[in-house]
Amino acid sequence: MATAITAPLRVAVVGGGPAGSLFALYALHYGAQAGREVLVTLFEARDFNRAGSRGCNMCAGIIPADVLRDLRGLNLTIPPSLVMGEIDSYALHTASGCLRVTMMDPDARAVTVFRGNGPGPGLPPEPISFDSFLLAEAERRGARVIRQQIEEICARPRRWVRTHDRVYHCDLIVLASGVNGSVLPAHGLPYVPPRTEAMAQGEVFLGSPEVRNRLGSAVHVFFPRSLPVVFGTLVPKGPFVSISLLGRGTESLTIREFLGLQAVQRILPEGSRQVCACRPRIAVGPASYAFAEGFVAVGDAGVTRLYKNGVGTALVTARRAAETAVLRGIEEKDFREHYGPLCQKIHRDNRFGRFLFSVVAVLMRSQLFSTRYMLVADREGERPPDEQAMRRILWGLLTGSYPYEEIFRMLLHVGFERSLSAA
Ligand SMILES: Cc1cc2nc3c(=O)[nH]c(=O)nc-3n(C[C@H](O)[C@H](O)[C@H](O)COP(=O)(O)OP(=O)(O)OC[C@H]3O[C@@H](n4cnc5c(N)ncnc54)[C@H](O)[C@@H]3O)c2cc1C
């Protein structure tokens, strides 16, 4: 049996987004469980309580049910004032009309939140930032938070992180800096950040009654043919609608062009007031050398789920890395044995995800296939939920509720092509 490690562990966490705060929360949790002193210092320069882009980690803000459940496992419940909306369905705008995919599992309630303090005017005065909530909880439970940017890290011969005016020595460096900051000089580490793709993100203000009236509690998904976009989504968030566009090999995405599409204007009125816009990047591959002796990368900086549930993946990677560091050790072999398999599993699953998204994007843009798919899905709607395979596949893909490999197998199982041609 492995001997319990009792020496204090000094951790420097670079980045206070979900991955960094959750690493801190889990490390403190496992430390308390094992009776080991864990000293976490977390560095984050962004003030999440500011409105607009300066306080925001640029995201559509859909938090699925399994993340809410895992947070409850840490005794964390998102305060109701942070919840901007509840999602019970996805409306898929295809070449031949709109297909509504409703919640397949009774417990699959997703909520929408703002990562920062929202786009500005039109919101209640109290703080509403999800990232601020997690960071404040990490601080309340014992992490020391330093509101500064890390400018350099070093893993060998001694381990330290440096702000503009001070060097902090530690046993473990946790890189939770996401993929939207500048690349950090990292001495003594072969770490290479993940590959990314361009997105465009924006918010329009409609007022809560109009948002409810026009979008209901559904995320609306579009596959425009005329724009270099893989897909675009509209997400209801209180008085605002968040718009996210995933680019297809181009940086020149504009929310304006998307809002000008006829299919989008059926949901959002022409001339909707855009109050916020940014061009974040999304990780679409794993980092190389995501761990080494005394070093581990978590969340987007390590590996994330392709296109879906980035916050949930930040949680699971942070949890596994914290468990490894506190209960097993911080040598390269500890991370290779206990953290590496999770990263590989996510990466492997993403290959299925990439295939599935390409297929769905092509099908939904095709008049012929989307019409046939809608027929099959419509017929299924009359059957009990566990017999609605086509809807379940779409639900899993759109919400990220199931592993992509499982969805791929479901697809094979139902005999996708046969179902379509039989329709
Ligand atoms: C347009 C868009 C829409 C998305 N929608 C969703 C969604 O609806 N649901 C979902 O689950 N996921 C979504 N994602 C993915 C999600 O945003 C990320 O997966 C998630 O934020 C990853 O968390 P993280 O903590 O790893 O990184 P981040 O959230 O990027 O946090 C990194 C933090 O590190 C800080 N930082 C960076 N460099 C330094 C440094 N040198 N020193 C100190 N601090 C530093 C940054 O300020 C930041 O706060 C979306 C992404 C995009 C781009």
Side-chain angles (χ1 to χ4, degrees):
M1 208 174 85
T3 347
I5 312 171
T6 50
L9 178 67
R10 293 171 309 158
V11 189
V13 182
V14 183
S21 293
L22 286 160
F23 182 94
L25 285 160
Y26 277 112
L28 293 164
H29 168 80
Y30 290 122
Q33 206 176 63
R36 183 176 188 195
E37 190 179 12
V38 179
L39 304 161
V40 181
T41 306
L42 195 154
F43 298 86
E44 173 60 65
R46 203 184 283 274
D47 178 0
F48 301 123
N49 288 321
R50 290 185 73 152
S53 57
R54 281 201 236 167
C56 178
N57 265 335
M58 303 174 289
C59 165
I62 303 171
I63 310 292
D66 54 346
V67 177
L68 302 175
R69 189 199 58 223
D70 285 348
L71 290 178
R72 282 196 295 275
L74 271 175
N75 279 329
L76 280 176
T77 303
I78 303 180
S81 58
L82 263 62
V83 176
M84 289 292 120
E86 291 199 9
I87 299 299
D88 63 11
S89 56
Y90 275 68
L92 216 62
H93 297 264
T94 74
S96 48
C98 177
L99 173 65
R100 195 166 281 265
V101 188
T102 45
M103 189 158 66
M104 298 304 297
D105 308 308
D107 298 332
R109 180 186 85 117
V111 299
T112 56
V113 298
F114 280 115
R115 299 284 302 275
N117 212 29
L123 284 161
E126 65 263 29
I128 50 160
S129 161
F130 176 71
D131 287 21
S132 172
F133 160 69
L134 288 181
L135 185 59
E137 273 302 317
E139 192 167 22
R140 201 174 65 77
R141 296 183 188 196
R144 176 185 176 207
V145 176
I146 296 184
R147 308 265 167 195
Q148 283 186 28
Q149 188 84 358
I150 289 298
E151 299 191 346
E152 197 178 3
I153 62 178
C154 178
R156 266 187 290 169
R158 297 183 68 197
R159 228 157 275 147
W160 48 262
V161 300
R162 187 179 65 72
T163 61
H164 76 283
D165 60 355
R166 221 191 118 174
V167 168
Y168 295 82
H169 292 276
C170 58
D171 305 309
L172 173 67
I173 300 170
V174 177
L175 191 68
S177 50
V179 288
N180 279 292
S182 44
V183 176
L184 267 184
H187 307 288
L189 285 171
Y191 171 79
V192 182
R195 202 161 52 79
T196 60
E197 278 173 11
M199 292 199 68
Q201 171 78 22
E203 243 89 35
V204 297
F205 178 83
L206 290 185
S208 299
E210 270 292 276
V211 172
R212 269 196 304 273
N213 195 13
R214 288 176 173 273
L215 280 87
S217 45
V219 173
H220 293 253
V221 187
F222 299 82
F223 299 93
R225 266 196 278 198
S226 54
L227 293 181
V229 166
V230 179
F231 58 78
T233 55
L234 302 179
V235 179
K237 273 194 197 161
F240 296 93
V241 177
S242 282
I243 301 142
S244 304
L245 304 182
L246 176 69
R248 205 167 38 191
T250 173
E251 309 275 316
S252 61
L253 294 169
T254 76
I255 298 276
R256 275 271 145 243
E257 279 175 278
F258 180 70
L259 291 178
L261 295 174
Q262 223 177 31
V264 176
Q265 286 188 350
R266 275 186 219 116
I267 307 293
L268 288 187
E270 209 180 333
S272 294
R273 188 155 61 94
Q274 192 178 336
V275 289
C276 209
C278 60
R279 287 180 178 280
R281 301 200 68 87
I282 195 163
V284 293
S288 302
Y289 305 102
F291 47 84
E293 185 170 344
F295 170 83
V296 65
V298 293
D300 280 9
V303 64
T304 191
R305 191 115 196 269
L306 185 74
Y307 304 152
K308 288 288 151 193
N309 201 1
V311 173
T313 320
L315 185 148
V316 295
T317 55
R319 179 170 59 199
R320 183 70 67 86
E323 184 192 356
T324 304
V326 176
L327 304 182
R328 316 266 182 180
I330 56 168
E331 286 181 26
E332 202 262 345
K333 76 163 177 42
D334 298 312
F335 290 119
R336 185 166 11 91
E337 281 170 21
H338 300 289
Y339 181 59
L342 174 69
C343 298
Q344 277 159 15
K345 190 171 156 199
I346 295 166
H347 174 48
R348 182 171 177 268
D349 195 53
N350 282 344
R351 297 200 177 135
F352 289 94
R354 187 166 285 284
F355 171 77
L356 289 168
F357 273 105
S358 332
V359 170
V360 167
V362 170
L363 294 186
M364 294 307 157
R365 283 183 170 91
S366 146
Q367 188 95 39
L368 180 72
F369 277 101
S370 59
T371 309
R372 287 182 172 181
Y373 193 98
M374 301 236 309
L375 272 174
V376 174
D378 257 0
R379 279 184 203 160
E380 267 191 2
E382 290 147 25
R383 294 195 211 137
D386 58 347
E387 288 174 28
Q388 299 182 11
M390 298 302 254
R391 282 169 176 262
R392 194 168 276 278
I393 287 166
L394 266 188
W395 176 257
L397 195 60
L398 294 170
T399 58
S401 314
Y402 319 128
Y404 291 132
E405 185 173 353
E406 193 179 321
I407 300 170
F408 179 76
R409 292 193 191 289
M410 282 158 75
L411 202 55
L412 290 184
H413 187 72
V414 294
F416 190 55
E417 283 178 33
R418 246 183 341 144
S419 309
L420 289 182
S421 54

